[in-house]
Every structure is written in C-alpha cells, then in structure tokens.
Amino acid sequence: MNLESKIPEGPLAEKWARHKFGLKLVNPANKRKYEVIVVGTGLAGASAAASLAELGYTVKAFCFQDSPRRAHSIAAQGGINAAKNYQNDGDSVFRLFYDTIKGGDYRAREGNVYRLAEVSVNIIDQCVAQGVPFAREYGGLLANRSFGGAQVSRTFYARGQTGQQLLLGAYSALSRQIANGKVKMFPRTEMLDLVVEGGKARGIITRNLVTGKIESHSAHAVLLCTGGYGNVFYLSTNAMGSNVTAAWRAHKKGALMANPCFTQIHPTCIPVKGKYQSKLTLMSESLRNDGRVWAPKTKEDAEKIRKGELKPTDLKEEDRDYFLERRYPAFGNLVPRDVASRNAKYVCDEGRGVAATGLAVYLDFADAIKRDGRTTIEAKYGNLFEMYEKIVDDNPYETPMMIYPAVHYTMGGLWVDYNLMTTIPGLYALGEANFSDHGANRLGASALMQGLADGYFVVPYTLGDYLATIGHADKLPVEAPAFKAAEAEVKHMVDRLLSAKGERTPEEIHRELGHIMWDYCGMSRSAEGLKKAKGMIQDLKKEFWTNMRVVGDAEEMNQALEQAGRVADFIELGELMVDDALAREESCGGHFREEYQTEDGEALRDDANFAYVAAWEYKGDNQPEVLHKEELVFENVKLTQRSYK
C-alpha cells in the first residue's frame, strides 16, 4: 500500500494557501444536497459539525453522552496555544511550528504542523467572537502564560477551565445549526461499525444506548471526531466513557492505525490512591508556571515523610532536590511532558518518592505565594486548588501538592493525509482521533488547538474537494445490502457478548489489561517486557471470551454491554500497541525503550532507520497486522538530539 500524504509542493509558509486554492469547490446551492455524518461532539466534532452546517451541508451528529457539551474536551484545563505574539517575546508562526516539531521529537510531518501553527491565530479570533471568556490583562488585552517545551508565553486560557469554555463556544455554534435544522443531533447513540461499499465510506451502524435499537445511517462522508484511546490503560485522566471503539471498528474496515504506541504520560496528576480507583485527575500543566517540582534529596527523608514522621514543609531548603531545575536549567519546570514524567519516575525509582505508595513528588507554590501573594495565585489557579483539596483533603496553599505521572493523551490514531482523510475514501479523522500533528509527544495546550483547527479551519475546505469529486448522487441508501450486512454483524457481536456466561466482569478484565499496559508499555518499555505483555494480552483475550459475564439484555439501557464491547476493542488495540512499540527500536518522545537512551537517561532516536510514520493494516481476527511506512521528510528543521538544558 502506497501512503500518499498529499503534502503540497512549494515553500512551507505557502503550502496551505496554495493547497486551498487547488481544492475543488462545491457550489453553495449544491451543498444542501450532501449529507455528512460527524461522530463525536468534542471540540473537533462540534466545530466541524457547526462549520459544515453553516456552509450549507446537511449534518448528522452523534455522541454517546446525553448532551454534546458533555464531551471530554470539557475537562481540558490549562489553555490553548496560538502564535499571536501578544507578549512581544519573540514568538511567531515558525517558532510555534518548530517547538511542536521538536516537542514531538521529530516524528511528525512538517506540512501538517506548520498548517496547525498558521491557523492557530485564527482560532483565538473565532473563539473571542463566540464570547469565550479568555483571561485578560488589567488593560483588557488577552493574557498569556507559558507551557512546557516553549520559552515564550503563547498559551491563552480561561482560568483552569479552558476546555469547558471553548467547548461551550463550539456548542453554541452547534446549537444554532440544530435550531436551524441543518444539524440533526443523536445523543446517547454509539457508533458500532463503519459501512464501506465500493471502496468508500458510506455510513455508520449505531446502537441507541437507551433502547438498544440498532440503526443504519447513510451519508456522503463520515467524520470521526471520537478522541483518543488512553483508557486502554484503565487508569487515565480521560472520562471513563472515552473509548476507541469507533476508530477501531473503522480500522478493522480498512483504515490504517498510525503510531499506536505513541501515548502521552502527563507529569502532574493526583497520584493513585487505592486498588479499586477507576479514574485519575489531572492537575493542569499551567501549575508548573508557578509551582516548583521537588523531592527529598535522601531516601531517609522520603521514608520519614511517607511514614508521617516528617512534614514536607519542615524539610529544609538544602535538603530538597528541585530536580527539573537542576537537570534542565534553561527550561526548568517547563520541560515537555515526556521529560518531566520520566524524571519523576526516576526519582521515585530511587526511593525518594513521597505519599504512602512512594509514587509521588511535590509541586510547591510556597515561593510563588510569597512572591505574588495568595490572592494572585488564587486568581490564576483557584478552581484547580479547590479540586485538589476536595480529592486529597489537603490545602495546597499551605502544603505542597503531591503529583505523579498518568496517562493523558494519545498521539497515535488513524492515519490521515493532509486533507485529514484516512485510507478509506470518504472517511475523515479529526482531532485526537488522528495521528497527524504531535509526533511522539504532544506539547501542552496543543490538543485544543488541533481539535479546533481541524474542525473550524481545515476540514471545511478539504471535505468539499472529495464531495465535488463524487457528486451528490453517489449516496448509498440504508436498505442496501452493505448496510444490512453491517447491521447483522453488529447484532452478532452484541449477541456474542451477551451469551458469555463466565464469572468475571468487563470492569475486572479492563483493570487487568490496564495493569499490563502500564507495567510493560507505559512510561518505559523493553523488548523483554513487551514480548511478555503480548503473551499476557493474548491470554487475557481468551479469558475475556470464555470467562466474562455480561448481565442484562440487548434491547434496554445496558452499561455492562457497552463496557464489554469497548473492552474487547481495547484488548485488540493493546496488542497492536505492543507490536508497534516492539517494532520501533529507538526511543523518541513518549516512546521510551530502555535499550535506547543516552548516557544521562534521555531518549535516543535512530533517525536513519525510524524517521517514519508506522501505519498498521488489519488483516483479520488473530492475524498479525501488516506494517506500512510513511517516510518523514524534513526540509525546514535540522534533526538534532532534543535538549532542554
């Protein structure tokens, strides 16, 4: 299979403008003749559905939540990047492009990343026009703060709830189109299969999560805006409903899955408390603007803190190790997430971790409060501090926060070209559901940027090119054999899940899968551990289908059935992630192979052999997937060993 990225020719700064001019257009009067399905209503999905409806297309939007505004985008805290250079501190579109390429450890396409940086400036204008209440300076200008992997302040924010405010802006635009009759909304509806006929995406099969009814929906094109697959690890900062099912079912119908082993571990999360915990909570990266990360210098002091014999506030300054500031003086506490996470792990592995488990370090605001005053810190981070205190029952204004890395985001996803189309014509993937912009590590505040860039400013242009090519008559009715066959396939899967009469719940098996993935395919990986994990996942898959029990019936609200289907997909994805991590014999970004590291423990890339996108093709149940490679070409940045020192 030849993977054509369709990156346009010409100078980097002119690629997107030239490409837009070369795209085919759909006449405004003809747009209403086309139907588009949008699956997912987070930032990418809501912005895409609203924008396409505004252009005149007829849109069907689907979400498994009871309202579009409950999409997980609403949980994003810290901010959204844009190269506005309001601070006059040296930022530019090219610098944002460079920081993103470097932050991703040179494993992303130049063309896609530059376009992202280019349209970032438009996103802020769009959101301000919608009424998004970004933080402002005293004089009324929009405020900025810094995030990891950058030495400029380019992050726009709405206190610690930026995702919520951005999603409400997109939701308001979506609601307007629903009221206008241009978008038909299907809440509490889960996509369970993609219909492909004649080599093109023709529609989807869904299950109504309230009644259990299986239904077919036809369209000229399908947009998957379904987020990432971090819950393959069970414990993550993702909403518990977040899943890979829509993307995975599309993968099994022919859409290649790219770089699945590229997962992001966020350094500042509230540590795991107990065995039966089912969710982790993020503490925004923005906190590292003012908070200082440290651990005790000695194991003895750490042991005393763990036993409650010593308070962190009683530890003298000379007995604290501000390890990020010590190791990375140029960036300090604002190194990229993969770097900060690995260093926290190293400290805890040395026995210097705190909390009862020994798996935590401190994020301390004492110096910032002394310098700026509690009122200033409260204005910046008050809702985050309140959230922390409610969960941990400790006051972070008086005692340092305890933090530890946790799964937060997935850079891997469905392979897409420059137009955001997958390897199935007519099927697009937007936002975190695709692989395109972040390489092996996403910089903080770039997820919201990508989701809105794809939905507001990219797919409204590129989708028209495909639709103009096929014509409005090329739409398959839901009575067609392809839809009936797909419906039968989905019903068979549902019946198979319900017929399992073993002893274990889907939750138990999901938790076990999460432990395997975290231990062997998490923050650090090795060939030996990955091979062991592959065998364990294969055994767990057999256990799932022979000793799992799903209670209830198909034609009713049945959350056990929902979870069982999602766990089945996570198990298959987990095995592919392990295969991908095994095949990539280098360390880069969030993919850290213990065999490939520098003398001081940093990721050691192998650009000669692995400067490519790994795109995997499904070949059938229990069959090994086939690896296809898209070589990455770098014409505007020099490949160097990443350094934040």
Side-chain angles (χ1 to χ4, degrees):
M1 182 182 293
N2 183 29
L3 295 176
E4 293 187 25
S5 64
K6 297 183 181 175
I7 301 291
E9 298 293 329
L12 185 66
E14 298 176 14
K15 288 182 185 292
W16 178 229
R18 289 187 179 189
H19 189 67
K20 284 190 290 184
F21 181 74
L23 293 171
K24 294 183 178 70
L25 300 176
V26 177
N27 183 290
N30 286 336
K31 286 189 171 81
R32 66 177 69 94
K33 299 175 183 177
Y34 291 92
E35 287 192 28
V36 180
I37 285 173
V38 179
V39 185
T41 56
L43 287 179
S47 60
S51 299
L52 294 172
E54 185 77 40
L55 286 171
Y57 296 108
T58 300
V59 179
K60 290 181 179 179
F62 297 81
C63 67
F64 64 76
Q65 299 91 347
D66 56 1
S67 166
R69 67 180 180 274
R70 285 187 177 271
H72 185 59
S73 298
I74 208 162
Q77 296 172 358
I80 177 171
N81 288 330
K84 285 285 198 181
N85 195 30
Y86 282 170
Q87 304 300 317
N88 198 28
D89 57 358
D91 201 11
S92 64
V93 168
F94 191 87
R95 187 175 293 279
L96 175 53
F97 154 75
Y98 177 77
D99 287 346
T100 305
I101 286 282
K102 177 184 175 183
D105 219 350
Y106 306 94
R107 290 295 175 262
R109 296 182 190 137
E110 284 189 341
N112 285 65
V113 176
Y114 190 88
R115 177 177 64 187
L116 176 65
E118 185 180 347
V119 303
S120 70
V121 296
N122 299 328
I123 296 171
I124 303 304
D125 297 339
Q126 169 86 359
C127 295
V128 169
Q130 289 175 334
V132 173
F134 286 122
R136 294 179 180 267
E137 304 286 4
Y138 180 77
L141 299 177
L142 294 178
N144 294 111
R145 56 189 178 198
S146 299
F147 259 62
Q151 291 183 304
V152 296
S153 294
R154 63 163 68 100
T155 304
F156 295 78
Y157 62 98
R159 213 177 182 194
Q161 48 189 243
T162 313
Q164 181 185 56
Q165 299 305 325
L166 291 174
L167 185 60
L168 290 175
Y171 172 67
S172 67
L174 175 62
S175 296
R176 177 172 175 268
Q177 297 304 325
I178 294 172
N180 287 344
K182 294 302 296 179
V183 175
K184 186 173 182 182
M185 190 68 226
F186 294 83
R188 302 297 288 142
T189 305
E190 183 168 26
M191 172 184 160
L192 292 182
D193 209 352
L194 177 75
V195 179
V196 179
E197 193 270 344
K200 300 173 186 174
R202 301 294 191 171
I204 62 173
I205 308 299
T206 63
R207 179 174 179 269
N208 184 307
L209 298 182
V210 177
T211 65
K213 186 179 180 181
I214 306 296
E215 295 179 303
S216 292
H217 299 273
S218 174
H220 292 90
V222 177
L223 278 56
L224 296 186
C225 312
T226 50
Y229 47 85
N231 276 350
V232 69
F233 292 89
Y234 185 70
L235 283 179
S236 81
T237 65
N238 291 179
M240 290 182 66
S242 298
N243 63 82
V244 76
T245 290
W248 189 253
R249 304 286 169 91
H251 172 58
K252 295 174 84 165
K253 285 297 177 73
L256 269 57
M257 183 68 75
N259 301 333
C261 78
F262 285 174
T263 55
Q264 178 166 89
I265 314 295
H266 197 295
T268 54
C269 300
I270 297 178
V272 176
K273 182 72 174 178
K275 181 179 178 182
Y276 293 103
Q277 190 168 341
S278 55
K279 169 110 177 57
L280 294 175
T281 304
L282 172 72
M283 286 286 103
S284 170
E285 180 166 319
S286 62
L287 294 170
R288 287 195 275 145
N289 273 278
D290 290 299
R292 301 179 70 192
V293 180
W294 65 272
K297 281 186 176 178
T298 67
K299 296 179 184 178
E300 291 74 22
D301 282 340
E303 180 70 19
K304 289 179 182 177
I305 289 174
R306 289 195 293 269
K307 290 181 176 178
E309 298 171 1
L310 180 67
K311 294 181 179 179
T313 49
D314 293 336
L315 201 63
K316 296 178 181 178
E317 191 72 13
E318 59 267 26
D319 295 327
R320 303 179 180 192
D321 178 18
Y322 295 92
F323 53 90
L324 293 179
E325 297 174 24
R326 171 172 57 82
R327 293 198 66 186
Y328 308 98
F331 282 74
N333 294 296
L334 285 173
V335 291
R337 292 172 175 177
D338 60 316
V339 177
S341 294
R342 276 196 295 275
N343 278 272
K345 180 180 184 297
Y346 292 155
V347 166
C348 293
D349 288 349
E350 291 170 2
R352 295 193 286 132
V354 295
T357 59
L359 297 176
V361 295
Y362 287 121
L363 183 61
D364 197 336
F365 293 87
D367 287 350
I369 291 172
K370 184 178 179 181
R371 179 185 68 240
D372 300 329
R374 173 169 171 160
T375 303
T376 300
I377 299 303
E378 196 168 347
K380 288 182 179 179
Y381 315 116
N383 65 312
L384 298 172
F385 279 44
E386 183 181 344
M387 189 190 311
Y388 180 89
E389 186 168 7
K390 283 185 176 180
I391 294 172
V392 180
D393 194 25
D394 212 349
N395 186 345
Y397 293 104
E398 299 172 359
T399 304
M401 282 185 180
M402 288 187 292
I403 57 166
Y404 193 69
V407 174
H408 178 59
Y409 187 89
T410 53
M411 286 75 67
L414 294 175
W415 184 93
V416 293
D417 62 17
Y418 193 68
N419 292 332
L420 304 185
M421 190 187 288
T422 68
T423 46
I424 301 175
L427 177 68
Y428 293 76
L430 283 65
E432 193 179 353
N434 73 35
F435 86 100
S436 67
D437 292 346
H438 305 295
N441 175 66
R442 177 177 68 77
L443 291 184
S446 288
L448 307 185
M449 175 173 63
Q450 186 207 349
L452 292 180
D454 289 354
Y456 282 138
F457 298 109
V458 178
V459 87
Y461 287 96
T462 61
L463 178 64
D465 184 66
Y466 171 73
L467 296 178
T469 302
I470 65 171
H472 60 80
D474 191 7
K475 181 172 177 280
L476 201 66
V478 294
E479 296 79 21
F483 276 96
K484 296 305 177 185
E487 275 192 31
E489 200 175 315
V490 166
K491 289 175 180 175
H492 173 72
M493 175 70 164
V494 169
D495 291 342
R496 187 183 178 196
L497 290 168
L498 287 170
S499 67
K501 299 300 179 186
E503 297 180 353
R504 301 185 67 184
T505 66
E507 179 88 359
E508 285 181 77
I509 294 175
H510 190 184
R511 185 184 293 116
E512 185 175 338
L513 173 67
H515 284 310
I516 296 169
M517 297 302 295
W518 179 253
D519 290 344
Y520 302 107
C521 198
M523 265 196 286
S524 66
R525 300 130 184 217
S526 67
E528 181 184 0
L530 290 166
K531 289 173 184 174
K532 180 179 179 181
K534 185 173 175 68
M536 294 172 75
I537 293 171
Q538 289 173 338
D539 291 343
L540 188 63
K541 185 176 182 179
K542 294 173 187 172
E543 175 79 356
F544 178 86
W545 288 111
T546 58
N547 195 28
M548 190 252 317
R549 185 181 188 90
V550 179
V551 296
D553 298 317
E555 296 178 357
E556 64 178 3
M557 181 183 284
N558 189 337
Q559 291 185 316
L561 175 61
E562 294 170 35
Q563 186 178 25
R566 295 166 186 172
V567 174
D569 295 329
F570 277 137
I571 291 172
E572 293 179 355
L573 168 68
E575 187 172 353
L576 180 60
M577 290 171 66
V578 167
D579 288 340
D580 189 40
L582 261 174
R584 190 171 283 276
E585 296 179 339
E586 65 163 354
S587 291
C588 56
H591 168 64
F592 191 78
R593 284 283 297 268
E594 295 171 2
E595 305 95 325
Y596 308 103
Q597 54 182 303
T598 63
E599 290 183 1
D600 53 353
E602 303 292 351
L604 183 61
R605 293 195 322 271
D606 180 354
D607 295 327
N609 296 302
F610 294 97
Y612 62 74
V613 176
W616 295 86
E617 181 183 5
Y618 182 78
K619 285 295 186 181
D621 195 27
N622 297 317
Q623 299 298 314
E625 299 211 6
V626 174
L627 172 63
H628 301 275
K629 300 177 182 179
E630 179 203 333
E631 299 296 333
L632 292 169
V633 178
F634 295 94
E635 299 173 338
N636 300 276
V637 298
K638 183 180 178 182
L639 292 174
T640 59
Q641 176 66 37
R642 252 187 348 165
S643 175
Y644 292 95
K645 297 187 174 183

